[in-house]
């Protein structure tokens, strides 16, 4: 129970009351007002530093969550429900703090997490609400681990400080992992379809479209229900159990083949357009991607047509064929995806269940959502087997249910007459030129009542409040304190070491870099 | 189409007649919104966060009656930490630097953005834009020193109500075209002269200690 998600949460989220003291004497906390602290950097406990950087991270996440939208999900789904947003925020915060502190939060992660949240919480079979957050945490972890190299801002090779200094001096910017990853994928295209490769590369670099598609696993390119199928296909094709160190390991790892193949399949899908149109058409095809090609994927106004599960499975079949060098996509030797054992590895029994797989396998577990059987029988179970089995049982349950009842749970939501792009009329004068041109006149007023740009550099607003310690999660009581939990227990127990290790490296530079005075920054180089 | 093109971190050659406009600034200052407002003349109150490089193209009629393709490059505000893809800066002709008047932090970060910009593009013209003035128009009475300090043309805009949006993009395109034709514009030269007195120059030339051995 102590290792449950709820405990993780309460022990890592910053409290409004300032840093948590590990000692009993409150004064033992590094006191920002203490004069003893001022002169020596790094002396003593850095709880306050951690506290502020945690809040900075939270604020960064909040900025993006306040504008979280997913195709075909009504905007109100997230934005009239503070609880949902807070759950996602908690998950992201924990993930970024515990699992991949060296990468931390990157824009786009919130949408992956939002989609997983939607998939799980909107399950019509009624996923126990108190377990949703913990379940999403587990699934998100698995999803993110597949694409983490597209978020990782570090260079491909770990550089020593000295190398970095030399590079900085010579203005050399070694390739970052996302760019490198995209180039690896694109290099495969050269082998598969040289003319297509050459035509594209003469106009735009591959990361421009590949990052856009793959960072979010195409969430922005497809209808939400199709996105869920895409996630399924990807999760279920991973080895089982998935490597747990993907997120914490510092070494570069290329994308899983299934995603790399998907990227290639998407490019090849628009081959005709790319080869036959001018530069504008080429850019349009790649940057405003539509699947299937031909333009009926996206309807005007940002609504997306559903491709359907078979459509998505077909896409992955072609992707796999392409990956094997079978470009024509003739998959005559292959079984239809639906009957294909999707998990390649050790699982002895059927592993076809995934977030939205056919419902045949798990009707029994459907009735036992919060019990603890069904141990590892299914794809999702295997993927997530490190975590509470009760939660995961529920996962498979909803997984199986999703497909079954999709018409109600997705179509009902996605359709609605509400136009997410509905634009309030914003006044007719769009171009009130000259109203405020040029410097705004007055020279006075450096600091004023609002203080927006006053001179004082106040510290980051503490704790845009999580004004309550997260409630003890109910799941804690229901999760068996079984060995399966050690997967999550591990990050916890190693957290400090991991954090120290990582923050001692590249990250510290960023997180501790003093915010220079507005103009003082340039003085550094003198 | 040489193979070596992909090896070039700068990315492939684009067509010669394209003006490349890049936008820089922190997360959620409204970069994408400004582009959207300009291209669509429309303001959609919702805006997803930008999570990857995005590129918009528009055919624009220039002052001299000819037309040009203008590419607007947009990216995640967070990408500064990502040592933004070099291709973002590659062959840019003009930069629009954006901050949000309702968040001081985004103003303080300008110097970081500006420094990175100058690292990649020492010479291109840059326009400073204060967005979201619709929240409180009083803010336009304030003096934002960053602009004068760096001799940047400075505009107050609102993507929400459209104030000045077309104007700044027109201005940006004009500057971009000029830079493309003339290399350094007068404006930039002016800037550089100003820099001669600033620490930035010392930082940029980087050879004050003689180790770099180049001028």
């Amino acid at each position: 129970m102590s290792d449950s998600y709820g405990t993780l949460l309460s022990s890592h989220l910053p409290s409004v009351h300032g840093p948590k003291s590990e000692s009993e004497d409150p004064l033992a906390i590094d006191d920002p007002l203490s004069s003893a602290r001022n002169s020596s950097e790094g002396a003593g406990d850095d709880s306050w530093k951690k506290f502020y950087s945690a809040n900075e991270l939270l604020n960064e996440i909040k900025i993006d969550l306040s504008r979280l939208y997913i195709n075909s999900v009504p905007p109100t789904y997230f934005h009239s429900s503070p609880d949902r947003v807070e759950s996602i925020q908690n998950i992201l915060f924990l993930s970024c703090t515990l699992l991949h502190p060296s990468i931390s939060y990157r824009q786009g992660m919130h949408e992956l997490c939002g989609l997983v949240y939607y998939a799980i919480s909107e399950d019509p079979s009624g996923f126990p609400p108190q377990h949703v957050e913990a379940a999403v945490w587990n699934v998100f972890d698995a999803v993110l681990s597949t694409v983490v190299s597209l978020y990782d801002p570090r260079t491909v090779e770990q550089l020593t400080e000295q190398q970095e200094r030399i590079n900085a001096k010579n203005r050399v910017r070694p390739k970052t992992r996302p760019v490198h990853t995209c180039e690896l994928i694109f290099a495969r295209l050269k082998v598969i379809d040289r003319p297509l490769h050459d035509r594209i590369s003469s106009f735009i670099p591959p990361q421009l479209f590949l990052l856009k598609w793959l960072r979010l696993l195409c969430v922005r390119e497809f209808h939400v229900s199709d996105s869920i199928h895409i996630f399924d296909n990807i999760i279920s094709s991973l080895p089982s159990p998935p490597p747990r160190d993907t997120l914490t390991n510092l070494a570069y790892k290329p994308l899983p083949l299934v995603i790399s193949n998907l990227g290639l399949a998407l490019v090849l899908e628009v081959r005709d357009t790319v080869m036959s149109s001018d530069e504008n058409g080429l850019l349009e095809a790649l940057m405003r991607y539509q699947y299937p090609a031909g333009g009926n994927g996206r309807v005007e106004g940002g609504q997306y047509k559903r491709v359907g599960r078979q459509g998505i499975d077909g896409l992955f079949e072609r992707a796999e064929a392409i990956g094997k060098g079978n470009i024509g996509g003739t998959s005559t030797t292959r079984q239809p995806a639906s009957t294909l054992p999707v998990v390649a590895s050790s699982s002895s029994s059927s592993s076809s269940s995934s977030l939205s797989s056919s419902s045949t396998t798990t009707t029994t577990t459907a009735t036992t959502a919060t019990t603890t059987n069904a141990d590892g029988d299914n794809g999702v179970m295997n993927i997530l087997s490190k975590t509470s089995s009760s939660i995961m049982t529920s996962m498979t349950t909803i997984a199986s249910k999703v497909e079954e009842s999709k018409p109600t749970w997705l179509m009902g939501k996605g359709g609605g007459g509400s136009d997410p792009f509905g634009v309030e009329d914003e006044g007719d004068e769009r171009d009130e030129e000259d109203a405020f041109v040029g410097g705004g006149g007055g020279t006075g007023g450096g600091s004023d009542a609002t203080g927006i740009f006053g001179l004082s550099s106040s510290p980051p607003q503490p704790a845009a409040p999580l004004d309550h310690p997260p409630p003890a999660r109910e799941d804690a009581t229901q999760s068996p304190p079984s060995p399966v939990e050690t997967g999550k227990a591990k990050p916890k127990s190693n957290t400090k070491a991991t954090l120290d290790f990582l923050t001692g490296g590249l990250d510290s530079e960023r997180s501790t870099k003093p915010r220079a005075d507005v103009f003082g920054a340039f003085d550094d180089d003198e | 189409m040489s193979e070596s093109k992909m090896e070039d971190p700068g990315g492939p050659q684009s067509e010669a007649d394209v003006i490349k406009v890049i936008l820089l600034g922190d997360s959620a200052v409204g970069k994408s919104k400004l582009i959207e407002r300009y291209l669509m003349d429309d303001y959609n109150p919702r805006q997803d966060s930008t999570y990857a490089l995005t590129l918009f193209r528009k055919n624009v009629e220039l002052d001299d009656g000819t037309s040009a393709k203008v590419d607007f490059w947009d990216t995640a505000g967070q990408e500064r930490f990502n040592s933004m893809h070099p291709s973002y800066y590659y062959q840019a002709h003009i930069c629009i630097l954006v901050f949000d008047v309702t968040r001081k932090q985004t103003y303080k970060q300008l110097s970081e953005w500006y420094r990175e910009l100058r690292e990649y593009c020492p010479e291109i013209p840059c326009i400073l834009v204060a967005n979201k003035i619709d929240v409180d128009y009083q803010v336009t009475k304030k003096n934002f020193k960053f602009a004068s300090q760096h001799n940047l043309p400075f505009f107050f805009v609102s993507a929400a109500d459209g104030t000045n949006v077309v104007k700044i993009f027109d201005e940006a395109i004009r500057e971009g075209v000029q830079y493309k034709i003339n290399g350094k514009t007068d404006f930039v030269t002016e800037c550089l002269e100003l820099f001669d007195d600033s620490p930035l120059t010392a930082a940029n030339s980087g050879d004050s200690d003689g180790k770099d051995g180049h001028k």
Side-chain angles (χ1 to χ4, degrees), chain A residues 194-413:
Chain A
R194 181 65 183 270
L196 181 62
H197 170 277
D198 288 350
R199 177 150 178 88
I200 292 175
S201 67
S202 66
F203 291 114
I204 61 175
Q207 66 265 28
L208 206 63
F209 53 94
L210 287 177
L211 263 190
K212 192 166 153 63
W213 302 341
L214 299 183
R215 247 188 194 168
L216 292 192
L217 294 171
C218 305
V219 167
R220 294 252 181 115
E221 276 72 34
F222 287 87
H223 187 283
V224 63
S225 66
D226 293 332
S227 293
I228 292 172
H229 294 311
I230 288 173
F231 279 38
D232 282 345
N233 270 287
I234 287 167
I235 290 182
S236 57
S237 69
L238 294 176
S240 166
R244 296 303 293 184
D245 67 343
T246 314
L247 289 176
T248 48
N249 194 321
L250 291 174
Y252 173 77
K253 286 201 187 58
L255 282 186
L257 206 54
V258 63
I259 297 177
S260 163
N261 289 344
L262 174 64
L264 292 173
L266 293 176
V267 179
L268 285 162
E269 181 73 22
V270 291
R271 183 182 200 284
D272 291 347
T273 316
V274 167
M275 296 306 288
S276 64
S277 50
D278 63 0
E279 186 187 357
N280 285 347
L282 177 144
L283 291 179
E284 169 100 12
L286 294 171
M287 297 305 296
R288 291 175 54 82
Y289 193 81
Q290 301 200 349
Y291 183 89
N296 57 351
R298 189 179 313 167
V299 187
E300 272 306 302
Q303 292 289 342
Y304 288 71
K305 238 184 215 167
R306 294 184 53 199
V307 180
R309 184 159 79 90
Q310 292 192 336
I312 297 298
D313 286 349
L315 171 64
F316 275 86
E317 268 184 72
R318 280 199 301 285
E320 192 180 336
I322 289 165
K324 290 174 177 164
N326 191 354
I327 305 154
T330 52
S331 52
T332 49
T333 58
R334 299 186 68 246
Q335 298 166 275
S338 52
T339 61
L340 211 64
V342 273
V343 173
S345 69
S346 58
S347 158
S348 55
S349 51
S350 147
S351 51
S352 64
S353 175
S354 57
L355 268 177
S356 61
S357 67
S358 113
S359 62
T360 53
T361 54
T362 44
T363 29
T364 52
T365 57
T367 57
T368 57
T370 55
T371 63
T372 60
N373 61 357
D375 201 5
D377 266 9
N378 304 293
V380 174
M381 282 299 293
N382 288 333
I383 296 301
L384 304 158
S385 62
K386 302 294 188 187
T387 55
S388 156
S389 56
S390 70
I391 290 167
M392 283 310 102
T393 306
S394 311
M395 270 307 303
T396 52
T397 305
I398 60 142
S400 61
K401 289 293 226 166
V402 167
E403 179 65 18
E404 204 176 329
S405 41
K406 190 167 39 198
T408 57
W409 79 280
L410 275 178
M411 302 195 65
K413 306 234 170 216

Side-chain angles (χ1 to χ4, degrees), chain A residues 107 212 220 280 430 456, chain B residues 37 49 51 57 78 104:
Chain A
Q107 291 180 303
K212 192 166 153 63
R220 294 252 181 115
N280 285 347
R430 291 280 153 66
S456 71
Chain B
R37 169 61 95 169
S49 66
Y51 65 95
R57 169 164 295 180
Q78 220 189 14
K104 182 178 177 180

Side-chain angles (χ1 to χ4, degrees), chain B residues 24-71:
Chain B
L24 298 179
D26 274 8
S27 279
V29 296
K31 298 181 293 296
S32 309
K33 271 274 159 277
L34 286 169
I35 295 183
E36 182 178 311
R37 169 61 95 169
Y38 176 66
L39 294 182
M40 278 79 112
D41 193 17
D42 212 355
Y43 179 79
N44 167 10
R46 65 167 255 196
Q47 176 70 52
D48 308 17
S49 66
T50 308
Y51 65 95
L53 277 174
T54 308
L55 183 150
F56 304 88
R57 169 164 295 180
K58 183 183 169 81
N59 288 314
V60 174
E61 193 150 316
L62 301 178
D63 293 342
D64 62 5
T66 61
S67 74
K69 289 180 205 162
V70 180
D71 283 351

Side-chain angles (χ1 to χ4, degrees), chain A residues 4-229:
Chain A
S4 72
Y5 174 76
T7 315
L8 270 185
L9 196 58
S10 56
S11 60
H12 291 283
L13 273 186
S15 134
V16 278
H17 305 299
K20 302 176 183 81
S21 169
E22 276 159 29
S23 100
E24 285 162 22
D25 174 12
L27 293 178
I29 307 181
D30 177 30
D31 180 353
L33 299 179
S34 150
S35 56
R37 172 92 176 95
N38 288 341
S39 52
S40 58
E41 198 175 335
D45 179 13
D46 55 353
S47 323
W48 278 102
K49 204 165 80 188
K50 281 184 184 161
F51 173 75
Y52 280 121
S53 67
N55 275 302
E56 209 172 294
L57 173 61
L58 268 180
N59 285 332
E60 203 177 343
I61 293 171
K62 278 178 191 166
I63 286 178
D64 283 347
L65 286 181
S66 70
R67 46 195 183 140
L68 169 63
Y69 303 96
I70 291 177
N71 290 342
S72 316
V73 175
T76 50
Y77 178 78
F78 294 110
H79 299 299
S80 47
S81 168
D83 287 353
R84 288 173 177 153
V85 172
E86 191 186 327
S87 289
I88 297 171
Q89 172 191 308
N90 291 342
I91 293 161
L92 285 168
F93 178 82
L94 275 190
S95 172
C96 298
T97 314
L98 299 181
L99 298 181
H100 45 92
S102 58
I103 300 170
S104 190
Y105 173 71
R106 298 280 142 203
Q107 291 180 303
M109 289 179 182
H110 67 303
E111 286 182 49
L112 291 177
C113 193
L115 184 104
V116 173
Y117 188 94
Y118 180 77
I120 291 177
S121 70
E122 279 310 286
D123 170 56
S125 77
F127 193 86
Q130 71 272 27
H131 296 318
V132 166
E133 190 171 323
V136 174
W137 150 260
N138 289 311
V139 178
F140 172 64
D141 177 19
V143 169
L144 182 63
S145 70
T146 64
V147 284
V148 75
S149 64
L150 294 176
Y151 287 97
D152 194 336
R154 291 169 298 178
T155 49
V156 181
E157 305 283 337
Q158 293 266 34
L159 300 179
T160 64
E161 260 180 53
Q162 192 187 7
Q163 285 169 311
E164 283 185 2
R165 237 177 296 128
I166 293 172
N167 282 340
K169 192 153 224 168
N170 298 331
R171 305 264 172 79
V172 174
R173 295 268 190 167
K175 255 174 214 146
T176 58
R177 295 182 183 195
V179 173
H180 179 68
T181 306
C182 292
E183 288 180 358
L184 284 183
I185 299 173
F186 200 61
R188 293 179 60 204
L189 185 65
K190 184 146 82 174
V191 181
I192 294 169
D193 190 335
R194 181 65 183 270
L196 181 62
H197 170 277
D198 288 350
R199 177 150 178 88
I200 292 175
S201 67
S202 66
F203 291 114
I204 61 175
Q207 66 265 28
L208 206 63
F209 53 94
L210 287 177
L211 263 190
K212 192 166 153 63
W213 302 341
L214 299 183
R215 247 188 194 168
L216 292 192
L217 294 171
C218 305
V219 167
R220 294 252 181 115
E221 276 72 34
F222 287 87
H223 187 283
V224 63
S225 66
D226 293 332
S227 293
I228 292 172
H229 294 311

